[in-house]
Amino acid sequence: RTTIPIPCPELAAYTGKRVAVRTGGTFSSPFIMGVLRPTLVLPRAELTKEQLDYILRHEMTHFQRRDLLYKFFAVFVKCIHWFNPAAWYIAKQIHAECEISCDLSVVRNMGKDEERGYVNTILSLLSGKQSKSLPLTTGMTGSKKMLKRRFIMMKNRKKTSRLMSALSVAAAAMMLSTA
């Protein structure tokens, strides 16, 4: 309610779909929300062209991978199994793994300088106050522990061979069929 729509022609480079862009509110971190009508919410802070590029890469990666659907499903399961601590833990892990996977996808083809710029953009979005994660949204920032884990995963990323990917899928299929 406290945001206003803004034009963002740079968004066309990342998706052909219609995504509303808004700015304002008290948010320090950009996020995307809405499964049926996606909306990208940008912070009020002045962003450089490079920072906007990194933000759009990150958020549109979430959008293209449909991470909000995974989070919606996790919240749905949490509502049904509200009494089960495993459901709460798994929902938290889904959120964390979506962020890590998105980061790894964004920096996959980046050089060291671009990767450093991406990390600096995330750090520049942090405010003095702790930013709380909103349900059913994606966000570039998070807790100190989560950010540390994301940065370590980006730094130590390794390529996965096709053979290992195929073996992983086969092992998962076998475990699923026995359950």
Side-chain angles (χ1 to χ4, degrees):
R1 292 184 184 159
T2 61
T3 62
I4 56 169
I6 60 167
C8 187
E10 297 88 356
L11 194 60
Y14 300 98
T15 185
K17 299 192 176 159
R18 202 174 103 193
V19 177
V21 181
R22 300 179 73 86
T23 189
T26 59
F27 308 106
S28 62
S29 173
F31 60 90
I32 193 164
M33 64 181 201
V35 176
L36 299 177
R37 286 181 281 168
T39 302
L40 173 64
V41 179
L42 297 172
R44 265 190 210 170
E46 286 294 320
L47 300 170
T48 66
K49 185 176 179 179
E50 182 182 68
Q51 287 175 326
L52 181 61
D53 177 57
Y54 292 136
I55 289 169
L56 292 177
R57 281 188 200 186
H58 180 91
E59 296 304 331
M60 288 302 104
T61 300
H62 279 304
F63 176 69
Q64 291 166 348
R65 291 175 162 209
R66 295 176 177 82
D67 285 346
L68 285 175
L69 288 176
Y70 299 127
K71 290 183 178 193
F72 181 79
F73 179 71
V75 168
F76 178 74
V77 170
K78 253 181 22 181
C79 288
I80 293 173
H81 295 278
W82 57 268
F83 54 87
N84 188 347
W88 290 80
Y89 176 76
I90 290 169
K92 186 177 178 182
Q93 285 303 114
I94 287 173
H95 174 74
E97 296 305 323
C98 281
E99 288 302 322
I100 290 170
S101 174
C102 180
D103 287 335
L104 293 176
S105 178
V106 168
V107 300
R108 178 178 296 136
N109 297 321
M110 286 184 178
K112 290 293 179 191
D113 290 336
E114 282 182 308
E115 188 176 324
R116 193 174 300 117
Y118 178 69
V119 169
N120 287 335
T121 298
I122 293 172
L123 291 173
S124 71
L125 294 170
L126 295 174
S127 65
K129 61 183 185 315
Q130 178 71 20
S131 58
K132 192 171 185 181
S133 178
L134 299 171
L136 297 177
T137 64
T138 64
M140 282 188 76
T141 61
S143 69
K144 185 177 173 181
K145 184 178 176 182
M146 182 61 193
L147 286 174
K148 182 178 178 183
R149 182 173 174 216
R150 286 170 59 190
F151 295 159
I152 289 171
M153 293 295 284
M154 280 190 278
K155 184 178 180 229
N156 298 331
R157 72 182 183 273
K158 295 177 184 169
K159 283 270 194 195
T160 304
S161 68
R162 289 182 184 214
L163 176 64
M164 285 306 292
S165 296
L167 288 175
S168 297
V169 169
M174 284 183 3
M175 290 193 316
L176 183 64
S177 67
T178 59

